Amino acid sequence: MVTDILFYVFAIATLVFGALVVANPFSRNPVTSAMFLVLTIISMAGLFVLLHAFFLAAVQVLVYAGAVMVLFLFVIMLLDLKEEEQRKIKKTGLVAGLVSVGAIVAIFIRSLLASEPSRGLGDPQLEGSTFALGKLLFTDYLLPFEIVSLLLLVAMVGVILLSKKDLK
Amino acid sequence: MNVGLEHYLVVSALLFALGLLGVITRRNLLVLYMSLELMLNSANLALVSFSRFNDNLNGQVMVFFIITVAAAEVAVGLALIVALYRKRQTAHVEDLTSMKL
C-alpha cells in the first residue's frame, strides 16, 4: 500500500518537473530548466527503487544528476545566453508540436487500452542489485560491455579534438 | 487500485511526449538537448518496468548501456555546441540556417 502511494508521489513529481523543464511559465532561463531536469532525474531514481532496480537508481543519480548535469551547467555558464529571455515561441511551432504530441499520446493510450491488463506486482523474483547486474554484465554481455568502453574512448578523443581552438 | 505495468508505461509515455514537445517547440539548443535527455529517460523507465514485470534482468542491462551511451552523446553534443557558438556566437536554432561555417 505504501509503495502505491510512493509510486503516485514519484510519478507526479517526475511529470510536473519534466513539464517545468520544457515549458516554465516563470523563467525561460536554461539554468532553471537544467535544475528541474535534475529534480526529474532524482524522482525517476525513486521510481527505479520502487521497481527494485537499486543499482540503476544509484547510477541514475550519480551519472545523470551528477556528471551529465554538471556538464550541462558548465556549458550554459560558458555560453552567455541572456537574450533567450526575449525570444518568443513561434505560433506555428507550438501548434505543430501540440498536434504531433497529441497524436503520439493517442497512439500510446490506444495501444495501452487494447492490451490486456497485467497482473498485480508479485514478490520480486530478481533484484536489480549490483551483484546480479554485474554477473550478467560480465558473462552474457561481455562483448557489448567492451564495445561500450571503446565507444567512450572514441567519444573522449572526439571531444578533445572538437574543443581545440583551431578546428580544421 | 494496484499499481501495475500500465501505470509505469503511462508515466513513461507522458514523459516521452513532454520531451518531444520540448524538442519541437523550444528553439534553444541547450534546452533542446535537455528535452532529448528527457525522452531517453522515459525509454529507460519503460525498460526497467518491463524488466521488473517479466522477472528478467536483461532490460536493466540495456538501461545501463543506454545511460553510458547517453553520457558519451552529451559530451560530444555539448562540445559541438561550444564549437558552433565560437564560430557563430549563438545557440539558437533559428540563427543557424546554413550548413557552411
Side-chain angles (χ1 to χ4, degrees):
Chain A
M1 221 53 265
V2 182
T3 51
D4 285 5
I5 296 168
L6 277 178
F7 166 77
Y8 285 112
V9 169
F10 282 128
I12 290 169
T14 307
L15 289 176
V16 168
F17 292 142
L20 285 172
V21 172
V22 171
N24 194 333
F26 306 111
S27 156
R28 299 278 302 281
N29 199 330
V31 179
T32 330
S33 291
M35 284 310 172
F36 278 116
L37 188 54
V38 172
L39 287 175
T40 313
I41 284 162
I42 288 173
S43 33
M44 193 173 267
L47 286 179
F48 282 4
V49 169
L50 289 181
L51 288 165
H52 290 260
F54 304 119
F55 175 69
L56 284 180
V59 165
Q60 179 93 348
V61 172
L62 286 178
V63 174
Y64 261 115
V68 170
M69 292 321 293
V70 167
L71 204 61
F72 261 110
L73 283 176
F74 259 123
V75 172
I76 292 172
M77 302 295 175
L78 204 64
L79 318 180
D80 194 21
L81 296 173
K82 286 209 183 76
E83 38 140 18
E84 169 69 12
E85 313 260 342
Q86 290 120 34
R87 303 255 186 174
K88 288 218 174 75
I89 292 181
K90 277 198 174 172
K91 283 265 162 49
T92 49
L94 194 63
V95 170
L98 285 176
V99 166
S100 51
V101 166
I104 267 210
V105 168
I107 291 171
F108 281 144
I109 300 293
R110 255 189 81 93
S111 57
L112 272 178
L113 287 179
S115 69
E116 289 184 14
S118 71
R119 63 200 193 292
L121 213 56
D123 285 334
Q125 307 286 315
L126 291 165
E127 302 259 327
S129 62
T130 317
F131 175 74
L133 266 182
K135 207 172 166 188
L136 203 58
L137 209 57
F138 286 112
T139 52
D140 290 0
Y141 288 91
L142 188 57
L143 182 65
F145 185 75
E146 296 295 335
I147 293 174
V148 158
S149 70
L150 202 66
L151 178 82
L152 283 175
L153 178 70
V154 170
M156 199 169 71
V157 173
V159 167
I160 291 169
L161 196 73
L162 276 174
S163 53
K164 279 179 122 174
K165 255 283 187 279
D166 46 345
L167 195 62
K168 280 277 152 60
Chain B
M1 192 170 155
N2 234 341
V3 171
L5 177 58
E6 303 93 7
H7 294 73
Y8 285 98
L9 288 184
V10 165
V11 174
S12 164
L14 288 178
L15 206 62
F16 186 89
L18 275 174
L20 185 65
L21 186 69
V23 170
I24 294 176
T25 52
R26 294 303 295 266
R27 297 273 71 113
N28 186 312
L29 270 178
L30 284 162
V31 180
L32 229 130
Y33 231 71
M34 288 181 213
S35 307
L36 275 180
E37 291 302 308
L38 220 55
M39 289 164 85
L40 274 172
N41 266 307
S42 78
N44 283 352
L45 182 61
L47 279 172
V48 172
S49 49
F50 281 136
S51 143
R52 168 78 170 95
F53 282 84
N54 285 323
D55 284 330
N56 192 335
L57 275 183
N58 291 330
Q60 297 195 15
V61 176
M62 195 69 172
V63 171
F64 178 81
F65 286 132
I66 291 180
I67 289 177
T68 319
V69 174
E73 173 237 338
V74 164
V76 175
L78 288 178
L80 276 173
I81 290 177
V82 170
L84 199 62
Y85 189 83
R86 271 210 206 114
K87 291 269 183 196
R88 299 283 195 83
Q89 312 302 321
T90 178
H92 217 263
V93 181
E94 276 153 12
D95 300 337
L96 304 168
T97 47
S98 67
M99 295 279 276
K100 204 172 156 222
L101 281 176

